[in-house]
Amino acid sequence: MGASPAADPRARLLDAMSAELQRNQQQLKVTGHEAPYFLSYGVKDYESRLIIARYGALFQDDDYRERKLGVDVRVGSYDYDSSVADSLDFGFSTSKGSSFTARKDGPLDDSPLALRTSLWLVTDEKYKAALFQYLKKKGEDVYTVEDPKRPASFSKETPATYVQPPVAFPFDREKWRRVAREVSARFTAHPELFDSEVRVTADKATRLFVSSEGTRLITEETLYAFHVSAVTRAPDGQLLDDSRSFYLPTEAGMPSEARVHEAAQKVIDELLALRQAPAITPYAGPAILAPEAAGVLFHETLGHRLEADRQDGDTDGKTFKGQEGKQILPAFLSLRDDPSRREVNGEPLNGYYLYDEEGVKGQPVSLVEKGVLKGYLMSRHPVEGFPKSNGHGRGQGTLQPVARMANLLVDSTKQVSDAELKKLLIAEAKRQGKPYGLIIRDITGGNTNTSSYGYQAFKGVPRMVFRVDVKTGEETLVRGVEIVGTPLSSVNRILATGQRLGVFNGFCGAESGNVPVSTVAPAVLLQELELQRTMEGKDRPPLLPSPAAPQKGSAGPEAKKD
């Protein structure tokens, strides 16, 4: 696809980027040293809308726009270059005097000359840093044992050309101001919930990308979100929070007013119930994770460990290095990641994109087939046995991209109904001599350690945990625990899965920043799940009642005297 400069102002900027890149590729060189073998320029234009309401009133109502520059300059060759694992922004200075760092902002005006000047200055800085790093890296290799299996530094990829038509970015500010006020006002009737927030956001990112290989891309993405959250304290001082979030690619797809009011009421009801729920002691035994919670389990235990960059580097745990072709999951489970998947059962997926941050088309990847490891999520950083990218080089803003998840999809051939899954839970708890099993119906998220420092472990923060009595099957809401475990042990104790797929949409944070992701999974029954006690809070709730609470002898804060 293409667009003429007259018809599309984005194309004029892309041409300016190409012209400046070609000039630097042909002329940029320090005498007696290598010229760059690869350059790429990325410009990201961000537009944001933000509305925040609390206690029935607006607290923030903002617009924001910026353009950020991403410049990659590599010295050496595809086989061995100046790149290092952590960052392309080298924060050193070889000067004993004052130093200068080029600003990474681009002009908001569509000025080709201003854009070229900004790119020129950053390119000069990045080339000098890359040349310094290349020489330093070669010097360090004198002390390093040669590795005959060492993969290349950077993969060769086929150039891509794509110009996406402009994407509309409507935002009905008056409507969302009103909705935010009305939804946040619901919480004033419940002073036990001492703080709450309604947040409406709309973000648009326009990306222009060119490389010395010939890639030319213009892509646009929009993401709308509605968040409701609140906090309270249990009588014993434990801080309790709850929330609901909706992510949609268009404003037209945003939830209805009735639905967001219903979500707010659900948060209220759950927090009031959690305040009265008993705290339980640490537990190790059978548990069911509802689909959304199971998605977080797979994301933390497997997804991060199948990002190829984590199979390389001295500080990485390399959980699955050399395990290709071997069984790492029960045979009834398969795992894939597909950034080209827009939705599942009509629900949009956060992790959808056309091209990754390195200009490679996002591709479906089979990671685990019938329990057997087949591949990894690949950026343009090769690892042993996997020399090519599959379009998973991702990063926030202009941070250096690394291999990251997009839409992680879990498939199972051992599915049972929810009722049967509960029966299996009770039977397993009885077999283990446990008085109860657990059902985790909701989870806020989690984190994991994949480095070689510390333990290879993960943690999840469950929100709605139910204790299931093995004699009666009665479910009781409990609180005060969080999921912990080692990844391989946990996922290999999955006994069966449910039939319904659940979508967990959110953002994943790692060394390349926060990126939108989705996990699609069924409920899972684990033979054993370990829960440890959460941090115990001892803080008192607010000493005085909220001004919104009915006062003694008054109809409320707005009451008037006769």
Side-chain angles (χ1 to χ4, degrees):
M1 298 179 64
S4 67
D8 188 348
R10 302 172 306 170
R12 293 178 63 238
L13 297 180
L14 198 70
D15 288 342
M17 293 166 64
S18 294
E20 186 58 29
L21 185 144
Q22 186 176 15
R23 183 173 80 101
N24 280 275
Q25 185 181 15
Q26 293 174 349
Q27 302 177 30
L28 187 61
K29 184 181 179 182
V30 173
T31 304
H33 294 284
E34 290 84 349
Y37 82 92
F38 175 87
L39 294 93
S40 70
Y41 289 163
V43 173
K44 284 194 173 180
D45 188 315
Y46 294 102
E47 295 180 70
S48 297
R49 315 279 185 261
L50 171 65
I51 291 173
I52 295 177
R54 300 165 69 195
Y55 325 130
L58 293 186
F59 273 61
Q60 200 164 343
D61 187 357
D62 291 334
D63 284 351
Y64 180 71
R65 184 170 175 226
E66 66 176 356
R67 274 182 177 158
K68 289 293 184 181
L69 307 180
V71 175
D72 189 2
V73 180
R74 292 172 179 261
V75 172
S77 66
Y78 286 97
D79 185 57
Y80 184 88
D81 71 15
S82 53
S83 60
V84 291
D86 294 323
S87 176
L88 293 176
D89 281 315
F90 304 112
F92 60 80
S93 171
T94 57
S95 171
K96 292 182 180 180
S98 60
S99 60
F100 172 80
T101 301
R103 288 185 286 265
K104 310 304 188 296
D105 300 305
L108 295 179
D109 290 337
D110 293 337
S111 166
L113 178 59
L115 178 58
R116 287 188 63 170
T117 305
S118 300
L119 289 169
W120 156 73
L121 204 55
V122 178
T123 305
D124 182 82
E125 178 183 276
K126 289 295 186 81
Y127 170 60
K128 292 169 183 172
L131 189 57
F132 176 91
Q133 188 62 43
Y134 181 62
L135 296 171
K136 181 172 179 284
K137 190 174 176 181
K138 290 181 72 174
E140 289 174 346
D141 280 354
V142 172
Y143 297 93
T144 306
V145 176
E146 290 187 16
D147 181 5
K149 295 182 179 180
R150 185 190 69 195
S153 293
F154 199 54
S155 67
K156 290 185 178 181
E157 304 294 341
T158 304
T161 300
Y162 180 80
V163 176
Q164 184 177 357
V167 174
F169 187 46
F171 188 69
D172 190 339
R173 187 176 295 278
E174 287 305 315
K175 172 189 173 181
W176 295 118
R177 284 171 175 163
R178 176 180 57 79
V179 172
R181 287 189 183 103
E182 292 174 355
V183 174
S184 69
R186 298 181 71 97
F187 291 88
T188 61
H190 303 278
E192 309 97 317
L193 314 184
F194 56 81
D195 202 3
S196 60
E197 180 179 280
V198 173
R199 178 184 294 256
V200 184
T201 62
D203 296 286
K204 180 178 180 179
T206 300
R207 189 262 300 260
L208 284 68
F209 182 88
V210 297
S211 78
S212 55
E213 294 171 326
T215 292
R216 289 172 57 94
L217 301 174
I218 299 178
T219 60
E220 297 194 0
E221 297 174 352
T222 56
L223 185 65
Y224 294 78
F226 195 100
H227 308 275
V228 183
S229 62
V231 294
T232 187
R233 284 195 185 276
D236 61 6
Q238 184 187 355
L239 187 67
L240 304 169
D241 67 274
D242 199 5
S243 63
R244 289 292 186 278
S245 297
F246 303 90
Y247 296 98
L248 290 309
T250 63
E251 185 181 36
M254 286 280 272
S256 66
E257 293 184 39
R259 192 176 177 195
V260 295
H261 276 279
E262 180 184 339
Q265 190 59 48
K266 192 74 172 174
V267 169
I268 292 169
D269 293 343
E270 289 179 354
L271 281 176
L272 294 178
L274 281 168
R275 290 186 81 248
Q276 305 304 318
I280 63 170
T281 56
Y283 170 88
I288 292 173
L289 297 183
E292 293 77 5
V296 173
L297 174 76
F298 284 104
H299 178 99
E300 299 296 349
T301 59
L302 288 170
H304 278 301
R305 288 168 172 80
L306 294 175
E307 293 165 339
D309 293 50
R310 305 187 194 286
Q311 311 310 313
D312 195 18
D314 296 334
T315 62
D316 288 294
K318 307 174 187 176
T319 307
F320 295 112
K321 185 177 178 65
Q323 299 296 307
E324 301 87 8
K326 296 181 180 178
Q327 187 147 350
I328 64 169
L329 280 178
F332 58 86
L333 290 173
S334 297
L335 200 65
R336 55 200 166 94
D337 191 284
D338 188 357
S340 68
R341 187 80 176 263
R342 289 178 178 266
E343 60 180 40
V344 167
N345 297 330
E347 186 164 356
L349 299 180
N350 256 21
Y352 167 78
Y353 58 85
L354 294 168
Y355 290 85
D356 73 3
E357 305 304 323
E358 297 176 307
V360 181
K361 191 172 181 63
Q363 303 155 36
V365 184
S366 178
L367 301 169
V368 180
E369 294 179 10
K370 297 180 179 178
V372 176
L373 177 61
K374 294 294 184 181
Y376 299 101
L377 304 171
M378 298 294 303
S379 66
R380 294 189 66 172
H381 176 79
V383 296
E384 184 180 335
F386 296 86
K388 304 287 284 184
S389 171
N390 49 40
H392 282 77
R394 308 188 67 197
Q396 178 185 13
T398 56
L399 291 175
Q400 178 185 354
V402 299
R404 300 285 296 275
M405 285 172 277
N407 294 320
L408 193 67
L409 309 167
V410 181
D411 298 312
S412 171
T413 57
K414 192 175 183 180
Q415 301 178 352
V416 297
S417 67
D418 289 347
E420 182 61 27
L421 205 61
K422 184 175 177 179
K423 288 180 182 178
L424 291 174
L425 169 71
I426 292 172
E428 182 60 28
K430 286 181 177 178
R431 188 189 70 79
Q432 295 183 24
K434 304 287 184 182
Y436 59 86
L438 294 179
I439 298 179
I440 298 173
R441 300 197 186 279
D442 194 13
I443 194 167
T444 62
N447 58 75
T448 190
N449 175 44
T450 63
S451 75
S452 57
Y453 300 106
Y455 299 105
Q456 288 291 303
F458 73 94
K459 183 168 74 172
V461 185
R463 191 153 46 200
M464 302 300 290
V465 181
F466 294 84
R467 184 170 55 199
V468 182
D469 188 282
V470 297
K471 295 179 180 178
T472 65
E474 182 181 354
E475 299 181 17
T476 304
L477 179 66
V478 294
R479 62 176 172 85
V481 288
E482 59 190 13
I483 302 169
V484 293
T486 52
L488 297 184
S489 174
S490 298
V491 295
N492 275 289
R493 294 186 181 184
I494 297 175
L495 301 177
T497 72
Q499 296 171 329
R500 180 182 71 86
L501 291 175
V503 176
F504 187 96
N505 277 324
F507 281 75
C508 172
E511 59 269 57
S512 62
N514 291 313
V515 296
V517 296
S518 300
T519 305
V520 182
V524 298
L525 169 61
L526 293 116
Q527 185 179 33
E528 184 175 83
L529 187 68
E530 184 176 352
L531 291 96
Q532 69 181 16
R533 193 186 304 275
T534 55
M535 183 181 298
E536 295 182 354
K538 296 298 182 184
D539 291 352
R540 293 178 184 270
L543 297 176
L544 295 178
S546 164
Q551 306 296 312
K552 209 169 186 181
S554 168
E558 302 297 330
K560 298 179 180 178
K561 293 182 180 180
D562 294 328

